[in-house]
Amino acid sequence: MAGKLLLSLISLSLLQGAFASPTRLEARVSGTLDSWIAEESPFALKGILANTGSSGSQAAGASSGIVVASPSKSNPDYFYTWTRDAALTMKQLIEQFIAGDTSLQSIIEDYISSQAHIQTVSNPSGDLSTGGLGEPKFYANTTAFTGAWGRPQRDGPALRATTLIAYGQWLVDNGYTSLALSNVWPIVQNDLAYVTQYWNQTGFDLWEEVNGSSFFTIAAQHRALVEGANFAKSVGKSCADCISQAPQVLCYLQSFWTGSYILANFDSSRSGKDANSLLGSIHTFDPEAACDDSTFQPCSSRALANHKVVTDSFRSVYDINSDIDAGKAVAVGRYPEDSYMGGNPWWLCTFAAAEILYDALYQWNKTGTITIDSTSLDFFKGVYSSAAIGNYSSSSTAYSSIISAVKTYADGYLSIAQNYAPSNLTLSEQFDKSTGASISAANLTWSYAAFLSVVNRRNAVVPAAWGETSASSVPATCAPTSVTGTYITPTATNWPTTLSGSSSAVATTTALTRKSKGKASRPSTPASTAFKSSVKKTLGTSISYPIATKVAINSA
Ligand SMILES: *[C@@H]1O[C@H](CO)[C@@H](O)[C@H](O)[C@H]1NC(C)=O
Ligand SMILES: *[C@@H]1O[C@H](CO)[C@@H](O)[C@H](O)[C@H]1NC(C)=O
Ligand SMILES: *[C@@H]1O[C@H](CO)[C@@H](O)[C@H](O)[C@H]1NC(C)=O
Ligand SMILES: *[C@@H]1O[C@H](CO)[C@@H](O)[C@H](O)[C@H]1NC(C)=O
Ligand SMILES: *[C@@H]1O[C@H](CO)[C@@H](O)[C@H](O)[C@H]1NC(C)=O
Ligand SMILES: *[C@@H]1O[C@H](CO)[C@@H](O)[C@H](O)[C@H]1NC(C)=O
Ligand SMILES: *[C@@H]1O[C@H](CO)[C@@H](O)[C@H](O)[C@H]1NC(C)=O
């Protein structure tokens, strides 16, 4: 950590030296990058909880477990729950939970229960079995939003499946297979059915603008099907349709590669350079994967080449980037042609640019090699001018120099964010392209989640593998396929009491502790009936477990 601190101090001062205009760069959050991270991290977590029902301070009226996109109710009105934003946010809370913050368990379970309900809400995209899972957003009270909108958005079910699997797999790994089967699998199964049925149809992209096929969506769908098949096995089920469709989804994903960067959408009115693809690579990052081009892993030549092309595309369109030298981090927005709210950098896109690099650093560290080929050469030259095609093992000096250059470069993106972040630590949706001032929706939940995610990666805290290592091979020919899904109303929404910090959390059984692998572990409690017997059936051991009223969230 001392080395990292020093590195970030150096990178910050280099960065400041690179700017000609001191007024623009006046640091609103003073201190080192590490000190900002230390302050912003707990604030970001609180920001997420504040935006989550039913007890979040900024989310009055939101149902239990419902994540609103932002408390902002006008210009813009984001007081809705988007399936995508909510899933990506909860994915992060689950990561924090698994890393040890057991206080989050209750809100995670509330979210899962809320999704069991929301899947059944008829909406303009359909009902549970006729496409309704692709509906992008609902009112915070979980009723359908019936106004005009860019629908369907087919990334939502895939992202939600990934999030639920993260928690479901944790349950399995910690001895709660029965609970994973009753409360998590039915929701996941529906979302997987949706993906197997609709992946080969058009829909709106994650920015809700382009009706077509989108890299982020297809990448998220591939990941969901692969881990869905594995999770099914974990709970004693199977997902043959996941197994049949996943290779075809991966096959189609290849068509987004232009040869020098990732085309975000098949849309001739735009360059296709878009943070969509940065978000795709960080969402499908697998800590066990090699630097595979086929799945656009963060350390792959394709992802790195794309990183340079996408981030460079913002150099000339934002005033705040105009004095920054090539090879130094910049403020990053959605796509260079963006005009929404004037077209500005977004916090979450700038964080994503850093996150890919931290992911790549993790992967290089794990494999002990950096490969520079003709595809990635420009990326490497940008950060390390003497880069040349070749394989560099961790014992070489080139390897160490590249690692340190990439780390500095990654920290540069966070330093840009730090420089413009308000001193009161709130993160909105965007920051002004000319002044850096915080603009658009205040307290954007996804901004906070993206911040926590990039900080974890910077600290080499990574999520569980999703199975990329056995799902990266691309079929020789692509085919337009689909399987009509089977949808079943999920009904299990009772959870055993978590009782974090409660004096009645006792009687841990040997079965539970023996199987406990994660840092967080569920304290078991004395009690009763149906749940008890279902757990017993799975674990074949004597466990006391209640079906109890939940502890109120955010009460501690
Ligand atoms: C849900 O919220 C919307 C928007 O605020 C409101 O119009 C609607 O009446 C609410 N529905 C219920 C059942 O409370
Ligand atoms: C469906 O898949 C085929 C084969 O990969 C592809 O050529 C086609 O563009 C896809 N269409 C959509 C809308 O996904
Ligand atoms: C989106 O495109 C599809 C064709 O790919 C079309 O059927 C559908 O009506 C379009 N949706 C909207 C809202 O324009
Ligand atoms: C690199 O790997 C070593 C152990 O193999 C680990 O201690 C270290 O934290 C890793 N660093 C990064 C940046 O992942
Ligand atoms: C780097 O290693 C890969 C796989 O081991 C090999 O295919 C490639 O030819 C090597 N590249 C160079 C420039 O040595
Ligand atoms: C925090 O700072 C932002 C940006 O300057 C400002 O818009 C917002 O009103 C402030 N919020 C609070 C609660 O102080
Ligand atoms: C943003 O969140 C902070 C902290 O929860 C709160 O004080 C502030 O009022 C919120 N701002 C808006 C505009 O919702």
Side-chain angles (χ1 to χ4, degrees), residues 475-556:
T477 28
C478 297
T481 59
S482 94
V483 182
T484 303
T486 304
Y487 304 87
I488 298 159
T489 302
T491 52
T493 54
N494 284 318
W495 298 89
T497 323
T498 58
L499 300 180
S500 309
S502 158
S503 58
S504 57
V506 288
T508 306
T509 70
T510 50
L512 293 179
T513 46
R514 194 182 62 241
K515 294 189 80 171
S516 182
K517 288 203 299 209
K519 279 188 207 150
S521 74
R522 174 189 284 275
S524 69
T525 56
S528 68
T529 61
F531 181 77
K532 173 180 165 182
S533 59
S534 68
V535 172
K536 210 167 168 179
K537 207 155 83 194
T538 304
L539 299 180
T541 182
S542 159
I543 293 168
S544 295
Y545 227 98
I547 297 180
T549 337
K550 301 205 50 161
V551 191
I553 52 167
N554 298 350
S555 56

Side-chain angles (χ1 to χ4, degrees), residues 7-309:
L7 202 61
S8 62
L9 280 170
I10 293 166
S11 75
L12 186 62
S13 56
L14 285 177
L15 187 73
Q16 284 173 328
F19 279 82
S21 164
T23 49
R24 278 208 300 258
L25 196 78
E26 190 202 346
R28 289 173 225 194
V29 180
S30 56
T32 63
L33 177 55
D34 286 294
S35 70
W36 178 55
I37 288 172
E39 273 191 277
E40 187 70 56
S41 297
F43 189 89
L45 180 57
K46 279 192 206 130
I48 292 172
L49 300 179
N51 293 353
T52 305
S54 58
S55 52
S57 62
Q58 306 292 310
S63 302
S64 171
I66 289 294
V67 180
V68 299
S70 154
S72 176
K73 288 187 171 169
S74 64
N75 190 34
D77 181 3
Y78 282 7
F79 199 78
Y80 295 89
T81 186
W82 270 263
T83 304
R84 168 181 43 259
D85 296 43
L88 291 171
T89 300
M90 279 296 159
K91 182 188 183 202
Q92 197 52 43
L93 290 194
I94 292 164
E95 195 172 305
Q96 308 296 122
F97 165 74
I98 291 174
D101 188 346
T102 53
S103 71
L104 299 173
Q105 185 162 41
S106 175
I107 204 163
I108 291 164
E109 292 173 349
D110 288 344
Y111 163 75
I112 296 173
S113 297
S114 76
Q115 299 310 295
H117 169 67
I118 230 165
Q119 281 195 334
T120 67
V121 176
S122 257
N123 62 66
S125 296
D127 63 22
L128 172 62
S129 59
T130 59
L133 299 182
E135 179 69 2
K137 70 172 193 181
F138 295 82
Y139 286 119
N141 59 17
T142 75
T143 61
F145 166 74
T146 56
W149 207 251
R151 58 169 69 90
Q153 294 176 19
R154 305 193 197 279
D155 56 338
L159 298 172
R160 180 168 53 202
T162 287
T163 296
L164 264 60
I165 289 167
Y167 189 66
Q169 192 58 47
W170 180 87
L171 288 174
V172 170
D173 291 346
N174 287 276
Y176 302 98
T177 303
S178 169
L179 191 57
L181 179 63
S182 62
N183 289 32
V184 180
W185 168 251
I187 310 169
V188 169
Q189 189 273 329
N190 287 331
D191 283 334
L192 296 175
Y194 182 90
V195 175
T196 62
Q197 183 166 354
Y198 297 102
W199 73 266
N200 200 215
Q201 294 186 29
T202 56
F204 281 81
D205 71 326
L206 80 170
W207 306 137
E208 318 195 277
E209 294 172 343
V210 180
N211 179 20
S213 298
S214 184
F215 176 82
F216 177 81
T217 301
I218 303 294
Q221 289 173 332
H222 176 247
R223 175 188 171 155
L225 293 182
V226 171
E227 66 187 336
N230 294 335
F231 180 58
K233 246 189 274 172
S234 286
V235 295
K237 296 280 183 180
S238 63
C239 185
D241 298 343
C242 299
I243 294 166
S244 75
Q245 299 305 296
Q248 282 308 323
V249 180
L250 183 65
C251 204
Y252 184 42
L253 189 68
Q254 308 311 304
S255 59
F256 292 87
W257 178 242
T258 63
S260 51
Y261 67 96
I262 299 167
L263 194 71
N265 302 286
F266 295 108
D267 173 2
S268 55
S269 70
R270 293 184 187 174
S271 63
K273 299 168 187 173
D274 193 318
N276 168 321
S277 55
L278 305 179
L279 291 161
S281 283
I282 60 176
H283 176 70
T284 57
F285 163 60
D286 184 321
E288 286 175 7
C291 300
D292 292 325
D293 273 334
S294 67
T295 58
F296 299 86
Q297 284 303 301
C299 66
S300 68
S301 294
R302 285 177 173 181
L304 295 171
N306 182 65
H307 186 283
K308 176 164 168 53
V309 171

